[in-house]
Amino acid sequence: MILGIGTDLANIDRIAGTLERFGDRFRNRVFTPEEQARAARRRDVAGTYAKRWAAKEACSKALGTGLRMGIAWRDMQVTNLATGQPVMHVTGWAAERLRAMTPPGHESVIHVTLTDDHPWAQAFVVIEALPKKDKGDTGGG
């Protein structure tokens, strides 16, 4: 079952201007060290940050709170699998909120997709609850 859906559109040029104006103060307030390291390795640094900004906004919307009620930017982190697929991780208050909205007997999965086409970066997040599998369940019919 779907627990929450969120989307956000970020302007890459606006993020570039914020990075130029506030530098590390902005980076350290919003992005985890892992996210900063990934952006530093990319040619399009501002685009990388803009996609993650959009993903955090979208995740906060899918959690049903937006960026309020104690949720912090760094409570949400985007990493990537070896295939490049983005993965959303939540900690702190965001993880507490996710636990609270997940029905008993279910586990939550956060799906995230990112895209950009200068000057826009977009993210879409869906939070899904799946029934927990029994430890002996191999899923084979």
Side-chain angles (χ1 to χ4, degrees):
M1 82 183 71
I2 303 298
L3 299 178
I5 298 172
T7 188
D8 192 67
L9 186 66
N11 185 289
I12 296 169
D13 293 334
R14 190 181 116 225
I15 296 296
T18 302
L19 286 164
E20 189 174 305
R21 184 169 178 204
F22 297 105
D24 285 343
R25 194 169 114 204
F26 171 65
R27 276 189 284 275
N28 293 332
R29 183 176 145 249
V30 177
F31 302 100
T32 66
E34 293 86 355
E35 290 170 319
Q36 292 180 44
R38 180 172 180 84
R41 293 190 305 268
R42 305 297 297 222
R43 191 172 13 170
D44 182 11
V45 172
T48 301
Y49 280 125
K51 285 186 280 189
R52 276 144 184 78
W53 172 280
K56 291 169 187 254
E57 285 273 7
C59 184
S60 71
K61 292 171 185 175
L63 288 168
T65 63
L67 286 160
R68 57 183 176 87
M69 295 176 55
I71 198 168
W73 286 103
R74 289 171 45 131
D75 285 347
M76 299 165 286
Q77 174 181 272
V78 179
T79 62
N80 295 81
L81 300 176
T83 60
Q85 178 183 348
V87 178
M88 178 65 71
H89 306 273
V90 293
T91 59
W93 191 90
E96 290 176 31
R97 171 70 180 147
L98 183 61
R99 277 189 294 279
M101 64 191 287
T102 303
H106 290 74
E107 57 191 357
S108 57
V109 178
I110 303 174
H111 304 278
V112 61
T113 186
L114 308 172
T115 191
D116 66 299
D117 186 8
H118 197 89
W120 301 108
Q122 183 177 29
F124 192 75
V125 171
V126 175
I127 301 176
E128 178 182 24
L130 299 172
K132 286 185 179 176
K133 291 185 179 179
D134 293 332
K135 293 187 194 270
D137 184 1
T138 60

